[in-house]
Amino acid sequence: MCTVSFVNAKGKIIITSNRDEKVLRPSAIEPRTYQVNNKNVIFPKDNNAGGTWYAIDEHSTVLVLLNGAEERHVFKDSYRKSRGLIVLDLMGSESPLQAWQAINLHHIEPFTLVLFERQKLYQLRWNESDKSSIELDANQSHIWSSSTLYTKEIREKRAHWFHTFLEMKPEVNEAELFNFHRYTEEENTEHGLVINRNDILKTLSITQTILEQNKVAIRYSDLIAEKEYSNVFISV
């Protein structure tokens, strides 16, 4: 939930997310299909709170969570609800974008959401006092890094790695993007795409969705257990 990229490869949408978490957190359950308010939603489940950082519904809507808003915030001892459960609240609605306008986020920790809905791309943010919604150009490539783990300078540096990579790969595909998320700055365990900070905080998994017409492909790599999961389904 700490690095997310969006690429439109000539109509093929590729959304990839690295989840950075404390290694003491229980292992997540690989992506499965769950009923959320009578909707089929596929997501890897966080065993700690039961929520998720990455969800895809039966209509090819994708919602990805990053911790933090614009800048690093001051952590409180407790919050009303897990941000991963907020993801499921939104995905269980008819339209996550419309649900975002109405949802009550009082006493919820700051976060950023990347939403792809009805062929449009949005950045949704909660900074502990205000919600913001920005529609982004879905024909352009974008990358986000969590403000809770990476300073503004490091976020800009990671964005530079991303755009440099794309400049060298004008015909980029999902495998190359997955490898970008897996191996970029491999020796830089502090700020590379896969981190390991003193065996306390690590990149635990990489999740990727490929949307092409009405076909949805999902790839999930558990980097700790060294297990791979993949699935393909047709959206409605």
Side-chain angles (χ1 to χ4, degrees), residues 13-73:
I13 304 300
I14 307 168
I15 304 171
T16 313
S17 168
N18 286 23
R19 185 192 190 210
D20 304 337
E21 268 292 355
K22 293 178 180 178
V23 296
L24 291 178
R25 200 177 183 100
S27 297
I29 300 170
E30 72 277 3
R32 297 179 184 174
T33 302
Y34 299 89
Q35 284 281 311
V36 182
N37 288 346
N38 297 317
K39 281 178 66 179
N40 289 321
V41 182
I42 297 178
F43 59 90
K45 181 182 282 190
D46 174 29
N47 255 327
N48 197 43
T52 189
W53 63 97
Y54 197 117
I56 313 104
D57 76 7
E58 58 196 16
H59 306 299
S60 299
T61 299
V62 180
L63 189 60
V64 189
L65 169 72
L66 293 103
N67 290 338
E70 297 89 348
E71 298 298 336
R72 184 179 175 87
H73 57 276

Side-chain angles (χ1 to χ4, degrees), residues 83-102:
R83 292 165 292 187
L85 291 174
I86 297 293
V87 170
L88 295 183
D89 288 344
L90 295 171
M91 287 299 280
S93 67
E94 184 175 342
S95 165
L97 182 63
Q98 291 180 9
W100 171 256
Q101 307 303 327

Side-chain angles (χ1 to χ4, degrees), residues 1-4 16-23 25-29 44-54 64-67 82 84 146 149-150 158 181 193-195 201-207 220-224:
M1 60 177 69
C2 295
T3 309
V4 179
T16 313
S17 168
N18 286 23
R19 185 192 190 210
D20 304 337
E21 268 292 355
K22 293 178 180 178
V23 296
R25 200 177 183 100
S27 297
I29 300 170
K45 181 182 282 190
D46 174 29
N47 255 327
N48 197 43
T52 189
W53 63 97
Y54 197 117
V64 189
L65 169 72
L66 293 103
N67 290 338
S82 160
S146 171
L149 290 181
Y150 306 100
R158 291 165 124 242
H181 276 255
L193 270 288
V194 171
I195 63 170
L201 184 73
K202 290 184 178 182
T203 304
L204 303 183
S205 62
I206 302 174
T207 310
Y220 176 80
S221 179
D222 184 327
L223 302 182
I224 305 303

Side-chain angles (χ1 to χ4, degrees), residues 178-223:
F178 189 92
N179 287 339
F180 170 82
H181 276 255
R182 179 67 181 86
Y183 299 112
T184 297
E185 295 287 318
E186 194 171 8
E187 302 303 316
N188 185 350
T189 57
E190 188 74 14
H191 301 304
L193 270 288
V194 171
I195 63 170
N196 179 358
R197 298 182 180 177
N198 302 315
D199 287 326
I200 297 173
L201 184 73
K202 290 184 178 182
T203 304
L204 303 183
S205 62
I206 302 174
T207 310
Q208 183 181 72
T209 299
I210 306 100
L211 309 172
E212 191 170 17
Q213 296 179 347
N214 65 335
K215 185 176 78 170
V216 182
I218 303 163
R219 179 180 178 184
Y220 176 80
S221 179
D222 184 327
L223 302 182

